[in-house]
Amino acid sequence: MHKAETMAKRVLVLNGPNLNLLGTREPDIYGASTLRDVEQLCAGTGKELGLTVDFRQTNSEGEMVTWIQDARKTADAILINPAAYSHTSVAILDALKAIGLPVVEVHLSNIHQREPFRHHSYVSSVALGVICGFGVTGYRLALEALAEKLQ
Ligand code: DHK
């Protein structure tokens, strides 16, 4: 087997605006877990699945776009919770299209049960799949789906 085939697959986990406030932000909607808890969940799940996880959060759309562009060289797949940018950002959609890596989209809340402006996500059109409404468990489910896809 070639060396490249034995190397752990790399998943870039991206979190959008206001997710740094998890734990204190509208806990009835987003739950009690902090972003640090989500990071630890992803690290633990990644270890079980043999994935390398790079976990990040930004409040800036431009930074998110740059991270997605850079992922061409540093990642095999992307797990993204674009947060509010899901509903507004053609730039993030275009960046994901440009790099062509497999993408799974996660939302903590069930966006379809919420205000109508949250029902559409630009990112969904490029995602392999979308997981919403399962809170932080959605991140674990998304990593499992990506691990299977990357096999
Ligand atoms: C997080 C946000 O910050 C919202 O803007 C989205 C998403 C939903 C979530 O459920 O994780 O509408």
Side-chain angles (χ1 to χ4, degrees), residues 79-102:
L79 184 172
I80 185 167
N81 181 348
Y85 293 142
S86 315
H87 321 299
T88 62
S89 181
V90 176
I92 289 172
L93 168 64
D94 283 350
L96 291 169
K97 272 187 175 166
I99 63 162
L101 292 178

Side-chain angles (χ1 to χ4, degrees), residues 17-19 25 30 81 83-84 87 106-109 111 114 118:
N18 299 306
L19 292 172
R25 174 194 183 204
Y30 297 107
N81 181 348
H87 321 299
V106 172
H107 303 280
L108 295 156
S109 63
I111 55 174
R114 301 183 62 194
R118 295 185 202 274

